[in-house]
């Protein structure tokens, strides 16, 4: 990875923009690239740069890059946006977005940030749920993964991995991983699955997937990488150490539902922002993109996030033109 010396971007209190983008993952930074190409004065306010890309080590499914480190890809997204004049301000958590007057939005964030804008693009993502067990934080990106679809190929030829969860992601992930590693242990806290039956049946047919039901992971152990996982059978009380090369934690997502509701956004039954195919929310002038939205919920990828970011920027541009700002 190349090291970049960056001059920090600044924002004046009360400064006006055409577009404020909330969130600096692939969706937000892609929206920023497109927004700036539409000659819109654009700022990205974000807690961190990269979003869920920070949860993975390598990326090998983003077109144009056979294999690239996730941090390098994040840097390139950011460089791209900044090269077009976008200001990217990390370390800011946006707390409120409200319409003032007829059409302008006031966006307030931590650190005294207060800006005004004609349109807002929300790209705040959804957080992967964590297990909260010892070793999980320490080995993140070093054998602990939250995305089988993204990282399965990185485990090609390995001896064994654990997948945790009983939903579509865990079952689909186990099936995919069974094609790359010699042994997959699927650890689920119950004995029935919420995943689609067809996925469960498919997984059961694969001789190298072993189901460890009514079981939970209590500890992830390793040195420089994951080496073993401790599993507790809740029915028998038996605790076993499994030697594995990695663990895929696929236990669902948590959208920022309270924040969305506080702004007045409509959400779907899972708490994701409802958008149409142009990324328009129920509030004219606010667009949403990436993992925060109701579309493509079962297929969260960098490339899909980037795609919805581009569409959101285009819609923001159309909105600003139509409003005659
Ligand atoms: P999910 O459906 O919310 O399932 C999460 C699973 O993790 C559940 O089985 C849950 O157990 C378990 N879990 C939650 N918290 C846990 C904890 N702290 N410890 C241990 N286990 C825990 O999440 P998902 O599988 O990521 O799917 C998310 C959405 O995307 C779903 O709507 C899904 O249908 C969709 N999706 C679709 C596809 C597809 O159609 N191909 C693929 C992937 C995802 P319990 O069952 O006991 O609650």
């Amino acid at each position: 990875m190349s090291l970049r010396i960056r001059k920090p971007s600044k924002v004046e209190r009360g400064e006006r923009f055409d577009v404020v983008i909330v969130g600096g993952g692939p969706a937000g930074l892609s929206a920023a690239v497109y927004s700036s190409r539409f000659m819109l004065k654009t700022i990205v306010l974000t807690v961190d740069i990269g979003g869920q890309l920070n949860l993975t080590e390598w990326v090998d499914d983003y077109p144009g890059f056979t294999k690239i480190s996730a941090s390098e890809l994040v840097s390139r997204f950011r460089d791209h946006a900044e090269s077009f004049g976008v200001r990217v301000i990390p370390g800011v958590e946006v707390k409120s977005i409200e319409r003032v007057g007829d059409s302008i939005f006031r966006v307030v964030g931590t650190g005294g940030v207060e800006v005004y804008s004609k349109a807002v693009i929300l790209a705040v993502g959804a957080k992967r749920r964590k297990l909260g067990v010892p070793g999980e934080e320490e080995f993140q990106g070093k054998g602990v993964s939250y995305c089988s679809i993204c990282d399965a190929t990185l485990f090609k030829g390995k001896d064994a991995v654990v997948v945790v969860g009983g939903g579509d992601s865990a079952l689909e992930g186990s099936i995919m991983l069974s094609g790359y590693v010699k042994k997959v242990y699927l650890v689920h806290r119950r004995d029935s699955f919420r995943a689609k039956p067809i996925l469960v049946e498919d997984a059961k047919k694969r001789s190298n997937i072993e189901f460890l039901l009514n079981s939970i992971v209590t500890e992830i152990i390793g040195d420089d990488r994951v080496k073993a996982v401790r599993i507790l059978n809740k029915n028998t009380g038996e605790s076993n150490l499994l030697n594995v090369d990695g663990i895929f934690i696929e236990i669902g997502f948590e959208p920022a539902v309270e924040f969305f509701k506080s702004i007045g956004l409509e959400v779907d039954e899972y708490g994701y922002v409802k958008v149409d195919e142009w990324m328009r929310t129920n509030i004219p002038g606010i667009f949403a993109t990436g993992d925060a939205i109701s579309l493509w919920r079962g297929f969260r990828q960098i490339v899909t996030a980037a795609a919805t970011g581009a569409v959101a920027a285009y819609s923001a541009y159309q909105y600003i033109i139509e409003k005659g700002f």
Side-chain angles (χ1 to χ4, degrees):
M1 192 190 88
S2 56
L3 283 177
R4 290 155 172 82
I5 312 285
R6 296 180 191 276
K7 217 172 104 201
S9 289
K10 288 202 175 117
V11 55
E12 302 294 329
R13 197 179 176 94
E15 197 171 345
R16 287 177 177 258
F17 293 87
D18 294 318
V19 177
V20 170
I21 296 169
V22 185
L29 293 173
S30 164
V33 167
Y34 276 82
S35 177
S36 57
R37 295 298 279 162
F38 289 122
M39 310 261 315
L40 300 172
K41 185 181 174 188
T42 304
I43 190 167
V44 176
L45 303 176
T46 183
V47 173
D48 63 6
I49 311 283
Q52 284 186 37
L53 263 180
N54 295 319
L55 297 178
T56 196
E57 195 176 3
W58 295 100
V59 173
D60 64 358
D61 54 8
Y62 194 76
F65 298 99
T66 315
K67 188 175 177 185
I68 184 169
S69 83
S71 58
E72 176 63 19
L73 187 58
V74 170
S75 282
R76 290 186 186 214
F77 281 153
R78 181 179 180 174
D79 288 346
H80 196 166
E82 288 184 329
S83 74
F84 291 152
V86 173
R87 267 184 277 167
V88 179
I89 315 283
V92 178
E93 187 179 356
V94 167
K95 293 292 190 186
S96 72
I97 301 169
E98 57 175 340
R99 205 186 272 283
V100 287
D102 255 2
S103 40
I104 297 292
F105 293 98
R106 177 172 173 260
V107 181
V108 174
T110 50
V113 169
E114 179 191 9
V115 293
Y116 292 83
S117 129
K118 296 170 185 168
V120 174
I121 297 176
L122 272 185
V124 295
K127 285 194 169 59
R128 300 232 176 215
R129 202 171 280 133
K130 297 199 170 182
L131 278 176
V133 297
E136 183 176 12
E137 291 286 324
E138 186 185 344
F139 295 112
Q140 195 168 297
K142 296 173 186 160
V144 171
S145 166
Y146 294 88
C147 180
S148 315
I149 290 180
C150 322
D151 294 343
T153 57
L154 306 174
F155 288 75
K156 194 173 177 182
K158 297 285 185 194
D159 286 331
V161 294
V162 159
V163 177
V164 190
D168 287 339
S169 299
L171 271 293
E172 205 174 62
S174 301
I175 292 163
M176 189 172 188
L177 280 156
S178 71
Y180 290 102
V181 299
K182 291 173 194 141
K183 178 91 183 183
V184 177
Y185 297 99
L186 177 61
V187 177
H188 179 36
R189 64 186 177 184
R190 295 189 292 132
D191 61 2
S192 60
F193 293 92
R194 67 175 66 228
K196 293 182 191 77
I198 192 163
L199 290 175
V200 179
E201 286 315 304
D202 187 345
K204 280 182 179 165
K205 280 188 206 141
R206 292 171 191 252
S207 57
N208 63 339
I209 300 181
E210 184 175 336
F211 287 60
L212 302 177
L213 303 180
N214 298 308
S215 296
I216 55 171
V217 170
T218 55
E219 191 181 1
I220 300 167
I221 299 153
D223 39 39
D224 55 335
R225 287 188 64 83
V226 169
K227 291 280 183 277
V229 167
R230 191 175 296 281
I231 311 286
L232 172 71
N233 183 310
K234 294 194 298 171
N235 286 356
T236 63
E238 207 179 318
S239 177
N240 284 312
L241 204 60
L242 290 179
N243 292 325
V244 292
D245 302 286
I247 171 169
F248 290 81
I249 299 167
E250 296 273 17
I251 59 172
F253 296 83
E254 290 174 326
V257 58
E258 295 311 320
F259 174 62
F260 301 146
K261 285 184 175 170
S262 74
I263 301 168
L265 288 172
E266 276 176 17
V267 295
D268 69 8
E269 59 187 305
Y270 301 99
Y272 294 95
V273 181
K274 279 191 188 172
V275 289
D276 65 11
E277 75 271 32
W278 292 103
M279 308 304 141
R280 292 178 291 213
T281 69
N282 61 304
I283 302 177
I286 299 187
F287 305 86
T289 173
D291 291 357
I293 63 174
S294 52
L295 288 185
W296 306 347
R297 200 165 33 79
F299 191 57
R300 306 296 202 189
Q301 300 292 294
I302 306 165
V303 72
T304 56
T308 59
V311 174
Y314 175 71
S315 293
Y317 172 64
Q318 290 296 336
Y319 168 81
I320 288 170
I321 301 246
E322 279 161 23
K323 280 292 245 178
F325 280 121

